[in-house]
Amino acid sequence: MKATIPVLMVLVAITFAQKPIPIPSLNLNKIQGLWYVVAAYPSYENVGIDCFTMSFTLVSNDTINLALVQEGNDNSLNSTFNLDVINSGSVWIGPTGKAIAWISFDPINGAWGTFASYGTGNAVILSRSPSLNFSIIASQLALLQSEGYQANLTNTYFVPNNCTMGEFI
């Protein structure tokens, strides 16, 4: 029993110590506009959401505005706040001091991207359209796993994006 407790403590520390590696730089002009959250990890925080969109507007070189819309699960949410931009645009710090890192971004036409939070274990896969090619989703889940997230096909919520108001941000 005594040997089990330290092992469990190490496993818990590994599980909650996610530090996503941000991409080297991000062109903020390519991020602007409406995005659909097509997959969210962990699923238990998102089950029942029918529509989940984010809209980014560049306020200045070091500030981006996020308008967030969630519909469904009796937790419809509309909120808007500014994020401080650091690390060549790929790390954003929110009003509560929590940071997110863009860990991938479609290099060809900016049609999809993935960002993850520091320490909380949350991550989302974004798309410019309400759905995304499954092979891209699978590659992004593998990327999250390589960075210590336990995201997989069974514990990630795939948002149906049956939006009624999210498209009109």
Side-chain angles (χ1 to χ4, degrees):
M1 178 72 174
K2 290 181 182 178
T4 306
I5 293 172
V7 171
L8 287 175
M9 290 173 67
V10 169
L11 289 175
V12 169
I14 289 170
T15 302
F16 291 104
Q18 290 96 352
K19 292 188 178 180
I21 300 169
I23 56 178
S25 66
L26 184 64
N27 182 336
L28 296 176
N29 289 316
K30 290 186 177 183
I31 294 296
Q32 291 193 97
L34 180 66
W35 290 86
Y36 293 87
V37 175
V38 294
Y41 172 81
S43 64
Y44 66 85
E45 293 184 4
N46 302 290
V47 170
I49 295 174
D50 296 322
C51 178
F52 191 170
T53 61
M54 296 181 180
S55 184
F56 303 114
T57 305
L58 188 60
V59 176
S60 67
N61 288 337
D62 58 0
T63 305
I64 198 153
N65 180 268
L66 167 61
L68 176 74
V69 175
Q70 289 180 348
E71 296 178 39
N73 196 22
D74 296 328
N75 285 329
S76 295
L77 169 70
N78 292 309
S79 62
T80 303
F81 49 90
N82 287 337
L83 301 161
D84 295 327
V85 178
I86 60 173
N87 195 46
S88 300
S90 61
V91 176
W92 301 351
I93 300 174
T96 62
K98 294 184 179 174
I100 59 171
W102 284 84
I103 59 173
S104 70
F105 185 72
D106 177 6
I108 298 168
N109 57 16
W112 52 266
T114 299
F115 67 74
S117 64
Y118 286 91
T120 67
N122 297 326
V124 295
I125 300 172
L126 302 170
S127 173
R128 288 290 188 174
S129 65
S131 62
L132 187 60
N133 181 296
F134 181 77
S135 63
I136 295 172
I137 291 173
S139 72
Q140 297 308 291
L141 289 174
L143 175 62
L144 286 166
Q145 290 169 1
S146 74
E147 297 207 12
Y149 292 79
Q150 303 300 313
N152 60 48
L153 293 176
T154 58
N155 66 8
T156 300
Y157 182 67
F158 297 93
V159 183
N161 282 317
N162 300 319
C163 301
T164 58
M165 65 182 180
E167 296 170 341
F168 304 106
I169 297 175

Short mmCIF file of all heavy atoms in Angstrom, two decimals, residues 63-102:
data_model
loop_
_atom_site.label_atom_id
_atom_site.label_comp_id
_atom_site.label_asym_id
_atom_site.label_seq_id
_atom_site.Cartn_x
_atom_site.Cartn_y
_atom_site.Cartn_z
N THR A 63 -3.22 41.96 -28.70
CA THR A 63 -4.52 41.66 -28.11
C THR A 63 -5.46 41.11 -29.18
O THR A 63 -5.55 41.65 -30.28
CB THR A 63 -5.17 42.91 -27.49
OG1 THR A 63 -4.26 43.48 -26.55
CG2 THR A 63 -6.47 42.59 -26.79
N ILE A 64 -6.14 40.02 -28.82
CA ILE A 64 -7.16 39.46 -29.70
C ILE A 64 -8.45 39.32 -28.90
O ILE A 64 -8.42 39.00 -27.72
CB ILE A 64 -6.71 38.13 -30.33
CG1 ILE A 64 -7.55 37.80 -31.55
CG2 ILE A 64 -6.68 36.99 -29.33
CD1 ILE A 64 -6.83 36.94 -32.57
N ASN A 65 -9.58 39.63 -29.53
CA ASN A 65 -10.87 39.51 -28.88
C ASN A 65 -11.49 38.17 -29.26
O ASN A 65 -11.47 37.77 -30.42
CB ASN A 65 -11.80 40.65 -29.31
CG ASN A 65 -13.15 40.56 -28.64
OD1 ASN A 65 -14.06 39.96 -29.19
ND2 ASN A 65 -13.25 41.13 -27.46
N LEU A 66 -12.04 37.47 -28.26
CA LEU A 66 -12.69 36.19 -28.48
C LEU A 66 -14.17 36.32 -28.14
O LEU A 66 -14.52 36.72 -27.03
CB LEU A 66 -12.06 35.11 -27.60
CG LEU A 66 -12.81 33.78 -27.46
CD1 LEU A 66 -12.96 33.09 -28.81
CD2 LEU A 66 -12.12 32.89 -26.47
N ALA A 67 -15.03 36.01 -29.10
CA ALA A 67 -16.46 35.92 -28.87
C ALA A 67 -16.81 34.44 -28.91
O ALA A 67 -16.58 33.77 -29.91
CB ALA A 67 -17.24 36.69 -29.92
N LEU A 68 -17.35 33.94 -27.82
CA LEU A 68 -17.61 32.51 -27.65
C LEU A 68 -19.11 32.28 -27.58
O LEU A 68 -19.81 32.98 -26.86
CB LEU A 68 -16.95 32.06 -26.34
CG LEU A 68 -17.13 30.65 -25.86
CD1 LEU A 68 -16.30 29.70 -26.70
CD2 LEU A 68 -16.70 30.56 -24.40
N VAL A 69 -19.60 31.30 -28.34
CA VAL A 69 -21.02 30.95 -28.32
C VAL A 69 -21.13 29.43 -28.18
O VAL A 69 -20.54 28.68 -28.96
CB VAL A 69 -21.76 31.39 -29.60
CG1 VAL A 69 -23.20 30.89 -29.60
CG2 VAL A 69 -21.72 32.90 -29.75
N GLN A 70 -21.88 29.00 -27.16
CA GLN A 70 -22.21 27.58 -26.98
C GLN A 70 -23.72 27.48 -26.89
O GLN A 70 -24.35 28.26 -26.18
CB GLN A 70 -21.61 27.02 -25.69
CG GLN A 70 -20.13 26.84 -25.71
CD GLN A 70 -19.62 26.27 -24.39
OE1 GLN A 70 -20.34 26.21 -23.40
NE2 GLN A 70 -18.37 25.87 -24.39
N GLU A 71 -24.29 26.50 -27.58
CA GLU A 71 -25.72 26.25 -27.50
C GLU A 71 -25.94 24.80 -27.11
O GLU A 71 -25.22 23.92 -27.56
CB GLU A 71 -26.38 26.48 -28.86
CG GLU A 71 -26.32 27.89 -29.37
CD GLU A 71 -26.96 28.00 -30.74
OE1 GLU A 71 -27.98 27.34 -30.99
OE2 GLU A 71 -26.41 28.73 -31.56
N GLY A 72 -26.95 24.56 -26.29
CA GLY A 72 -27.32 23.21 -25.91
C GLY A 72 -26.92 22.87 -24.50
O GLY A 72 -26.32 23.67 -23.79
N ASN A 73 -27.30 21.66 -24.07
CA ASN A 73 -26.96 21.15 -22.75
C ASN A 73 -27.46 22.07 -21.64
O ASN A 73 -26.89 22.09 -20.56
CB ASN A 73 -25.46 20.92 -22.62
CG ASN A 73 -25.09 20.06 -21.44
OD1 ASN A 73 -25.92 19.30 -20.94
ND2 ASN A 73 -23.87 20.18 -20.99
N ASP A 74 -28.47 22.85 -21.93
CA ASP A 74 -29.01 23.81 -20.97
C ASP A 74 -27.95 24.76 -20.42
O ASP A 74 -28.12 25.35 -19.38
CB ASP A 74 -29.71 23.09 -19.80
CG ASP A 74 -30.93 22.31 -20.26
OD1 ASP A 74 -31.56 22.75 -21.23
OD2 ASP A 74 -31.21 21.26 -19.68
N ASN A 75 -26.86 24.88 -21.12
CA ASN A 75 -25.78 25.77 -20.69
C ASN A 75 -25.40 26.70 -21.83
O ASN A 75 -24.22 26.87 -22.11
CB ASN A 75 -24.55 24.96 -20.26
CG ASN A 75 -24.74 24.33 -18.91
OD1 ASN A 75 -25.43 24.87 -18.06
ND2 ASN A 75 -24.14 23.19 -18.70
N SER A 76 -26.36 27.27 -22.50
CA SER A 76 -26.04 28.19 -23.57
C SER A 76 -25.19 29.32 -23.00
O SER A 76 -25.45 29.81 -21.91
CB SER A 76 -27.30 28.73 -24.22
OG SER A 76 -27.99 27.68 -24.86
N LEU A 77 -24.19 29.69 -23.73
CA LEU A 77 -23.22 30.64 -23.23
C LEU A 77 -22.82 31.60 -24.33
O LEU A 77 -22.52 31.19 -25.44
CB LEU A 77 -21.97 29.88 -22.73
CG LEU A 77 -20.73 30.69 -22.40
CD1 LEU A 77 -20.96 31.50 -21.13
CD2 LEU A 77 -19.53 29.77 -22.23
N ASN A 78 -22.85 32.85 -24.02
CA ASN A 78 -22.33 33.89 -24.91
C ASN A 78 -21.39 34.73 -24.07
O ASN A 78 -21.79 35.27 -23.05
CB ASN A 78 -23.45 34.78 -25.45
CG ASN A 78 -24.36 34.05 -26.40
OD1 ASN A 78 -23.90 33.42 -27.32
ND2 ASN A 78 -25.66 34.12 -26.15
N SER A 79 -20.16 34.82 -24.47
CA SER A 79 -19.24 35.69 -23.74
C SER A 79 -18.20 36.25 -24.70
O SER A 79 -17.91 35.66 -25.74
CB SER A 79 -18.55 34.94 -22.60
OG SER A 79 -17.78 33.87 -23.09
N THR A 80 -17.69 37.39 -24.34
CA THR A 80 -16.68 38.06 -25.13
C THR A 80 -15.61 38.59 -24.18
O THR A 80 -15.93 39.16 -23.15
CB THR A 80 -17.29 39.25 -25.91
OG1 THR A 80 -18.35 38.76 -26.73
CG2 THR A 80 -16.26 39.92 -26.79
N PHE A 81 -14.36 38.35 -24.53
CA PHE A 81 -13.26 38.87 -23.72
C PHE A 81 -12.01 38.98 -24.56
O PHE A 81 -11.90 38.39 -25.64
CB PHE A 81 -13.03 38.01 -22.47
CG PHE A 81 -12.93 36.54 -22.73
CD1 PHE A 81 -11.72 35.93 -23.01
CD2 PHE A 81 -14.07 35.75 -22.69
CE1 PHE A 81 -11.64 34.57 -23.25
CE2 PHE A 81 -14.00 34.39 -22.91
CZ PHE A 81 -12.78 33.80 -23.20
N ASN A 82 -11.06 39.76 -24.05
CA ASN A 82 -9.78 39.95 -24.74
C ASN A 82 -8.73 39.00 -24.19
O ASN A 82 -8.72 38.67 -23.01
CB ASN A 82 -9.29 41.39 -24.59
CG ASN A 82 -10.09 42.35 -25.44
OD1 ASN A 82 -10.71 41.97 -26.42
ND2 ASN A 82 -10.07 43.61 -25.07
N LEU A 83 -7.82 38.59 -25.07
CA LEU A 83 -6.70 37.73 -24.70
C LEU A 83 -5.41 38.44 -25.06
O LEU A 83 -5.30 39.05 -26.13
CB LEU A 83 -6.78 36.40 -25.47
CG LEU A 83 -8.05 35.59 -25.23
CD1 LEU A 83 -8.24 34.57 -26.35
CD2 LEU A 83 -7.98 34.89 -23.90
N ASP A 84 -4.42 38.39 -24.16
CA ASP A 84 -3.11 38.95 -24.45
C ASP A 84 -2.33 37.95 -25.30
O ASP A 84 -2.32 36.75 -25.03
CB ASP A 84 -2.34 39.23 -23.15
CG ASP A 84 -3.01 40.30 -22.32
OD1 ASP A 84 -3.60 41.23 -22.91
OD2 ASP A 84 -2.95 40.22 -21.09
N VAL A 85 -1.67 38.45 -26.32
CA VAL A 85 -0.93 37.61 -27.26
C VAL A 85 0.56 37.72 -26.98
O VAL A 85 1.10 38.81 -26.90
CB VAL A 85 -1.23 38.04 -28.72
CG1 VAL A 85 -0.44 37.21 -29.70
CG2 VAL A 85 -2.73 37.94 -29.00
N ILE A 86 1.21 36.55 -26.83
CA ILE A 86 2.67 36.52 -26.63
C ILE A 86 3.26 35.42 -27.50
O ILE A 86 2.54 34.74 -28.22
CB ILE A 86 3.04 36.29 -25.14
CG1 ILE A 86 2.47 34.96 -24.62
CG2 ILE A 86 2.53 37.44 -24.28
CD1 ILE A 86 2.96 34.60 -23.22
N ASN A 87 4.56 35.23 -27.43
CA ASN A 87 5.26 34.14 -28.11
C ASN A 87 4.98 34.12 -29.61
O ASN A 87 4.54 33.11 -30.16
CB ASN A 87 4.88 32.80 -27.47
CG ASN A 87 5.83 31.69 -27.89
OD1 ASN A 87 7.04 31.89 -27.87
ND2 ASN A 87 5.30 30.56 -28.26
N SER A 88 5.22 35.22 -30.29
CA SER A 88 5.01 35.33 -31.74
C SER A 88 3.59 34.96 -32.15
O SER A 88 3.36 34.38 -33.21
CB SER A 88 6.02 34.46 -32.49
OG SER A 88 7.33 34.87 -32.20
N GLY A 89 2.64 35.26 -31.29
CA GLY A 89 1.23 35.08 -31.62
C GLY A 89 0.64 33.74 -31.26
O GLY A 89 -0.57 33.56 -31.30
N SER A 90 1.45 32.74 -30.88
CA SER A 90 0.91 31.40 -30.69
C SER A 90 0.47 31.08 -29.27
O SER A 90 -0.10 30.02 -29.02
CB SER A 90 1.92 30.36 -31.16
OG SER A 90 3.10 30.45 -30.42
N VAL A 91 0.70 31.97 -28.31
CA VAL A 91 0.24 31.77 -26.94
C VAL A 91 -0.62 32.96 -26.55
O VAL A 91 -0.24 34.11 -26.76
CB VAL A 91 1.42 31.61 -25.95
CG1 VAL A 91 0.91 31.49 -24.52
CG2 VAL A 91 2.26 30.39 -26.32
N TRP A 92 -1.80 32.67 -25.98
CA TRP A 92 -2.73 33.70 -25.57
C TRP A 92 -3.01 33.55 -24.09
O TRP A 92 -3.20 32.45 -23.60
CB TRP A 92 -4.03 33.61 -26.35
CG TRP A 92 -3.89 33.76 -27.83
CD1 TRP A 92 -2.76 34.12 -28.53
CD2 TRP A 92 -4.88 33.52 -28.81
NE1 TRP A 92 -3.02 34.13 -29.87
CE2 TRP A 92 -4.31 33.76 -30.08
CE3 TRP A 92 -6.20 33.12 -28.74
CZ2 TRP A 92 -5.02 33.63 -31.27
CZ3 TRP A 92 -6.91 32.98 -29.93
CH2 TRP A 92 -6.33 33.24 -31.17
N ILE A 93 -3.08 34.66 -23.38
CA ILE A 93 -3.37 34.63 -21.95
C ILE A 93 -4.71 35.32 -21.72
O ILE A 93 -4.93 36.45 -22.14
CB ILE A 93 -2.26 35.32 -21.15
CG1 ILE A 93 -0.94 34.61 -21.40
CG2 ILE A 93 -2.61 35.33 -19.66
CD1 ILE A 93 0.26 35.27 -20.79
N GLY A 94 -5.61 34.61 -21.04
CA GLY A 94 -6.96 35.11 -20.80
C GLY A 94 -7.05 36.00 -19.59
O GLY A 94 -6.07 36.20 -18.86
N PRO A 95 -8.24 36.54 -19.33
CA PRO A 95 -8.43 37.47 -18.22
C PRO A 95 -8.18 36.84 -16.85
O PRO A 95 -7.86 37.53 -15.89
CB PRO A 95 -9.88 37.93 -18.36
CG PRO A 95 -10.51 37.06 -19.38
CD PRO A 95 -9.44 36.35 -20.12
N THR A 96 -8.28 35.52 -16.74
CA THR A 96 -8.03 34.86 -15.46
C THR A 96 -6.56 34.47 -15.29
O THR A 96 -6.19 33.90 -14.28
CB THR A 96 -8.88 33.58 -15.32
OG1 THR A 96 -8.51 32.68 -16.36
CG2 THR A 96 -10.36 33.91 -15.38
N GLY A 97 -5.75 34.79 -16.29
CA GLY A 97 -4.33 34.45 -16.22
C GLY A 97 -3.99 33.09 -16.80
O GLY A 97 -2.82 32.73 -16.88
N LYS A 98 -5.00 32.33 -17.20
CA LYS A 98 -4.73 31.02 -17.80
C LYS A 98 -4.32 31.20 -19.26
O LYS A 98 -4.84 32.07 -19.95
CB LYS A 98 -5.96 30.13 -17.70
CG LYS A 98 -6.27 29.77 -16.26
CD LYS A 98 -7.42 28.82 -16.16
CE LYS A 98 -7.66 28.49 -14.69
NZ LYS A 98 -8.83 27.69 -14.49
N ALA A 99 -3.39 30.36 -19.68
CA ALA A 99 -2.86 30.48 -21.04
C ALA A 99 -3.29 29.31 -21.90
O ALA A 99 -3.48 28.20 -21.42
CB ALA A 99 -1.34 30.57 -20.99
N ILE A 100 -3.44 29.58 -23.20
CA ILE A 100 -3.65 28.53 -24.18
C ILE A 100 -2.56 28.66 -25.23
O ILE A 100 -2.01 29.74 -25.45
CB ILE A 100 -5.04 28.62 -24.85
CG1 ILE A 100 -5.22 29.98 -25.55
CG2 ILE A 100 -6.15 28.36 -23.86
CD1 ILE A 100 -6.46 30.06 -26.42
N ALA A 101 -2.24 27.55 -25.86
CA ALA A 101 -1.21 27.55 -26.89
C ALA A 101 -1.76 26.92 -28.16
O ALA A 101 -2.39 25.85 -28.11
CB ALA A 101 0.01 26.76 -26.42
N TRP A 102 -1.54 27.57 -29.27
CA TRP A 102 -1.85 26.96 -30.56
C TRP A 102 -0.75 25.94 -30.81
O TRP A 102 0.43 26.29 -30.90
CB TRP A 102 -1.88 28.01 -31.66
CG TRP A 102 -3.12 28.83 -31.63
CD1 TRP A 102 -3.36 29.94 -30.86
CD2 TRP A 102 -4.31 28.61 -32.38
NE1 TRP A 102 -4.61 30.41 -31.10
CE2 TRP A 102 -5.22 29.62 -32.04
CE3 TRP A 102 -4.68 27.66 -33.34
CZ2 TRP A 102 -6.49 29.70 -32.60
CZ3 TRP A 102 -5.95 27.74 -33.90
CH2 TRP A 102 -6.84 28.76 -33.52
#
